[in-house]
Amino acid sequence: MSDLLAGAYLAQGTIGNVGTPGAPIAKFSLVVVPSQHSVTGTVVITQAIQGPDSHIVVNVTGKIYGAGIGKVTQLVSLQGEYIHSVPPPKIGSFLAKFDAHLAIDNAWNGTGGFSYYQHNIENVPVTAAKNLKEELV
């Protein structure tokens, strides 16, 4: 049982064009277990434009594999669902899907993309958190 979580670590960072007005940004906090090729955690999608998609929290699971393609050393896929509420005058909520894909180096920097209800963001930077305290501010 002790070998089950061998090498586990915390990965945090962002997916998206940080600093671009109105761009959706996905912040991730993931527990990575390379020996099991598993990733589990939370993604928070924010967007400066107010609306039903301006702050979304998604619990995610996924896979991580070695790549060995130039600077890209790891490939990560994430999936999850969240409750999407329909804005007035309509009423209701439903489960919407979230997906992400990352091509990163060992420091969790690279390129990726993500999609969620009627949004598809491709070929954007993936940037590791420099410092946990900075990310929480």
Side-chain angles (χ1 to χ4, degrees), residues 57-73:
V57 178
V58 186
N59 290 323
V60 296
T61 59
K63 297 287 185 183
I64 183 168
Y65 289 100
I69 307 168
K71 293 181 182 180
V72 175
T73 58

Side-chain angles (χ1 to χ4, degrees), residues 9-33:
Y9 64 92
L10 180 65
Q12 295 178 308
T14 58
I15 311 166
N17 291 312
V18 175
T20 301
I25 305 297
K27 291 185 179 182
F28 59 85
S29 182
L30 307 168
V31 174
V32 181
V33 186

Side-chain angles (χ1 to χ4, degrees), residues 23-52:
I25 305 297
K27 291 185 179 182
F28 59 85
S29 182
L30 307 168
V31 174
V32 181
V33 186
S35 63
Q36 301 297 315
H37 302 288
S38 72
V39 182
T40 305
T42 304
V43 172
V44 178
I45 304 167
T46 57
Q47 192 169 10
I49 300 167
Q50 289 302 313

Side-chain angles (χ1 to χ4, degrees), residues 36-114:
Q36 301 297 315
H37 302 288
S38 72
V39 182
T40 305
T42 304
V43 172
V44 178
I45 304 167
T46 57
Q47 192 169 10
I49 300 167
Q50 289 302 313
D53 294 333
S54 62
H55 185 85
I56 299 168
V57 178
V58 186
N59 290 323
V60 296
T61 59
K63 297 287 185 183
I64 183 168
Y65 289 100
I69 307 168
K71 293 181 182 180
V72 175
T73 58
Q74 302 177 99
L75 300 173
V76 179
S77 66
L78 301 171
Q79 301 81 38
E81 292 181 328
Y82 65 96
I83 297 173
H84 178 82
S85 296
V86 181
K90 300 176 183 172
I91 319 173
S93 298
F94 60 90
L95 281 178
K97 294 194 180 300
F98 168 86
D99 291 294
H101 53 278
L102 315 175
I104 54 173
D105 61 17
N106 287 335
W108 283 74
N109 295 305
T111 313
F114 59 99

